[in-house]
Every structure is written in structure tokens, then in C-alpha cells.
Amino acid sequence: MSPLPPGSYRPPADRWGSFTKLAARLPEGSVAVVDRTVARFHPTLLPTLEARKPRAIIQLVGGERAKSLISLQKVLAGGINLPRSGTLVAVGGGTVGDVATVAAHLLKRGVRLVQVPTTLLAAVDSSLGGKGAVDLVVRGRVVKNPAGVFHYADETWLCPELYATLSDAQVREGSIEAWKMVASLDASLFKRYVRTPPSLEKLVKDARGLKEGVCAKDPYEHQGLRRVLNFGHTFGHVLESLSRFKLSHGDAVGLGILWALDVGRHLGITPEPVAHEVERALARGPGVLGRDRAAELAHRASLKDVAALLDADKKAGAQGELRMVLLTAVGTAEVVDVMPKTWRALWPAWTRGARP
């Protein structure tokens, strides 16, 4: 058992290799939470886990619906006999990893967690940083991530063969999250990416390195330093909710970045050339969806609905202001309180798919 108390910050212990090889590290009697679709695409995965004589293998259907209290209950019930020194391994994308992270924190007041991200998005982002959360339904609407924990993984297994079956859309949304970090944290790396698009493995390693550099300074978000990682998330979450989660998280963040660039330009914080450069690079690099997709979702929503979603966001302030991450230059960002009148002034252009 780790000498650190459950939930304590741990620097990432990333291990690259095949799942079959890395699974030999899994202690017997562990509990596995597995995305059912991943298991279907990779027929050797479940037999490999079963060879480790687990106490339970809990299969969930990935996607935003997996981040529910129902799924959490299922994982907790499956891990009820796991000892305090036991291990919970999460094999799936970000939603499965989120539920497993919360469960690992709650089971026996904290058990060992191993993350095995199976999507590019989870590999570059959600499997690192210790955060796990579930969604709640409030007044008939799904609110993202209001109930969560910090529980850092003891290890993360990065298995390239698991990414070979990803669709182009899944690769795109993971790439968007990686480029988001590069655009807001590292100007020189951004220039190299624009010049020569990185390989998938380099993309993952660079993104994880950038995120870890932020998380290590503020592991529990006490200092607010991690807020910079929310670039594009404020309105990305709104668009995700308006689509009833048919729009993927990565694509939603990409569109949210475009709107964040607009807000920054409107306030005089993001220089016009910077906004143009980043928007152009995101379109050519990871392939951010066009503004028409955001307009389609915005057009069907009332301002009242949008305001309610923003008010429910944990990044909203007491006076209705939005704590948004805005670029001041490529590779440099700051958190700014944005009043409702600002985004309301931009809304008509957004509903037309125009750049305000």
C-alpha cells in the first residue's frame, strides 16, 4: 500500500506498453471498471484481467451517462469487498475514469487507483490531475461535475494499441484538448506544432507534461493556478449541455475556445492577431468544428437557459460573472471575471455562426 494518505498528490507514474504486459503489474484480487465498448473492440482485454483473478470486473457503457450516481453505486457495490490496501483499475475513457476515481476515493475511505485511458482525450487530460466527478440532475437539467473528489492515480498505463481503434472524431477531440494546453501554456511548442504536426505519442507526452507542470504547483486548486486548464470550458460545457451531450466534450471545448477568443477580443485582452492565429491553427491542426455547429446549438436555446447553465457552472462567481480563461498572447493566459452583459452582447453573432 502507498505510504501517502488516500487522495494525496502524486507525481504521475506513466508506463507505456501493451496492456497485456502492463496488466502483469496488477495485484491479484483487484477490482476493474471497464468500458463495455472497449472490451468489445479488444477481445483479449477481459481475459487478460481475468487472469489476474480480480474480485470483480464491472462493465459500464461509456459516455456522459456513465457519470451518474447509478453508475457510481454499481462500482461501489462491486468493490464492497476490496480491502483498504486493494487496487481499483479504470479501463476506459474520461467518463469511466471519472466514476472510478470517485469510487476509489470512497471505497474504504480510499484505495489505490490505476488509470488506463483508452481514448486520446482521457490520455492527454482527464486521467491526469487527480480529479474525478459525477453529474447531477438539477431541475430537469444535467449539471456537469458538481460532485467530485481529488484522488491521484498511483500509476497510469498508456497502451498505444488501445488508441488504434479510435475513430477520427475521437482522435480529433483528444487532439483539441492537447492543442488547447499548448496554445495557452507554451508558445514555442505551439509554433513547432503549427510547423510540423506532432505524432500521437508526442502529443500525449507533451500534453501530459504541460498539465502536470500546472497541477504540481496547485494539486488541489487552492491557489487557482489550475484554472488556466479550463480554457474553452466555460461555454464548451454550455454547448455540450445544449446538445444533450450529443456533442463530444473535446469538440465542445474546441468551440468554447473560439467563443473565448471572441470574449477576449471584445474586452481588449486577446489581441486580434493572436485570436486569428489560434483559430486558424486549431482549424488546420486538430480540426476544430466550424462556428456553424455552435450556432446551430445556440440558436435553439433561450438566453434564460444559457444563463441558468452558466450560473450552475462551478466556475461562475456570486454576482453572475464568469471566471473565464482568456489569452493575452500565444502561450499565455489569465483568468478574468466576465460580466453577463459581455457574453450577451456577443450572443446574436454567435447564433448566426459569425465572428463578432
Side-chain angles (χ1 to χ4, degrees), residues 55-68:
R55 292 174 187 269
I57 297 178
I58 302 147
Q59 294 191 50
L60 299 177
V61 177
E64 198 65 31
R65 289 184 180 181
K67 290 177 57 170
S68 68

Side-chain angles (χ1 to χ4, degrees), residues 99-114:
V99 175
T101 297
V102 177
H105 193 74
L106 297 177
L107 281 168
K108 307 304 164 69
R109 298 186 179 88
V111 297
R112 185 173 179 268
L113 175 65
V114 174

Side-chain angles (χ1 to χ4, degrees), residues 1-10 83-86 101-113 130 149-154 220:
M1 183 177 177
S2 171
L4 295 173
S8 297
Y9 167 73
R10 292 167 171 79
R84 181 78 180 273
S85 60
T101 297
V102 177
H105 193 74
L106 297 177
L107 281 168
K108 307 304 164 69
R109 298 186 179 88
V111 297
R112 185 173 179 268
L113 175 65
V149 301
F150 282 98
H151 195 88
Y152 282 82
D154 281 67
Y220 304 107

Side-chain angles (χ1 to χ4, degrees), residues 45-255:
L45 194 149
L46 291 180
T48 299
L49 288 172
E50 288 164 355
R52 303 304 302 160
K53 299 178 182 177
R55 292 174 187 269
I57 297 178
I58 302 147
Q59 294 191 50
L60 299 177
V61 177
E64 198 65 31
R65 289 184 180 181
K67 290 177 57 170
S68 68
L69 293 178
I70 294 173
S71 295
L72 179 59
Q73 157 72 17
K74 185 176 181 180
V75 177
L76 293 174
I80 196 72
N81 293 320
L82 195 65
R84 181 78 180 273
S85 60
T87 297
L88 183 70
V89 57
V91 186
T95 56
V96 169
D98 262 1
V99 175
T101 297
V102 177
H105 193 74
L106 297 177
L107 281 168
K108 307 304 164 69
R109 298 186 179 88
V111 297
R112 185 173 179 268
L113 175 65
V114 174
Q115 291 271 16
V116 187
T118 61
T119 65
L120 187 58
L121 181 59
V124 303
D125 186 24
S126 62
S127 64
L128 180 73
K131 293 168 67 172
V134 293
D135 301 339
L136 297 179
V137 178
V138 180
R139 293 188 291 276
R141 285 195 173 275
V142 177
V143 180
K144 282 179 65 70
N145 304 329
V149 301
F150 282 98
H151 195 88
Y152 282 82
D154 281 67
E155 293 184 10
T156 300
W157 301 348
L158 298 154
C159 310
E161 79 271 17
L162 297 178
Y163 311 136
T165 56
L166 297 177
S167 67
D168 290 343
Q170 288 173 313
V171 172
R172 179 181 68 240
E173 66 167 333
S175 298
I176 288 170
E177 278 283 359
W179 277 72
K180 171 210 76 175
M181 285 182 255
V182 173
S184 57
L185 295 172
D186 193 322
S188 61
L189 189 58
F190 179 85
K191 290 178 181 177
R192 293 200 295 273
Y193 274 30
V194 170
R195 189 166 55 248
T196 306
S199 66
L200 185 145
E201 185 170 329
K202 177 170 173 51
L203 192 77
V204 172
K205 289 180 176 178
D206 286 343
R208 290 180 68 84
L210 287 172
K211 183 171 182 179
E212 167 56 17
V214 176
C215 292
K217 297 175 184 175
D218 189 14
Y220 304 107
E221 294 190 335
H222 288 161
Q223 302 175 57
L225 299 178
R226 286 177 60 154
R227 288 177 182 168
V228 71
L229 298 173
N230 291 323
F231 183 42
H233 281 63
T234 300
F235 283 103
H237 282 172
V238 169
L239 293 168
E240 210 174 350
S241 295
L242 292 178
S243 75
R244 300 188 183 278
F245 300 101
K246 292 180 181 177
L247 181 68
S248 72
H249 176 72
D251 283 333
V253 167
L255 295 174

Side-chain angles (χ1 to χ4, degrees), residues 319-347:
Q319 304 302 316
E321 71 274 18
L322 306 177
R323 294 197 174 100
M324 290 188 66
V325 179
L326 304 178
L327 292 190
T328 56
V330 174
T332 307
E334 64 180 44
V335 179
V336 179
D337 284 348
V338 177
M339 298 307 294
K341 65 179 182 180
T342 298
W343 68 262
R344 286 174 179 269
L346 300 174
W347 191 257

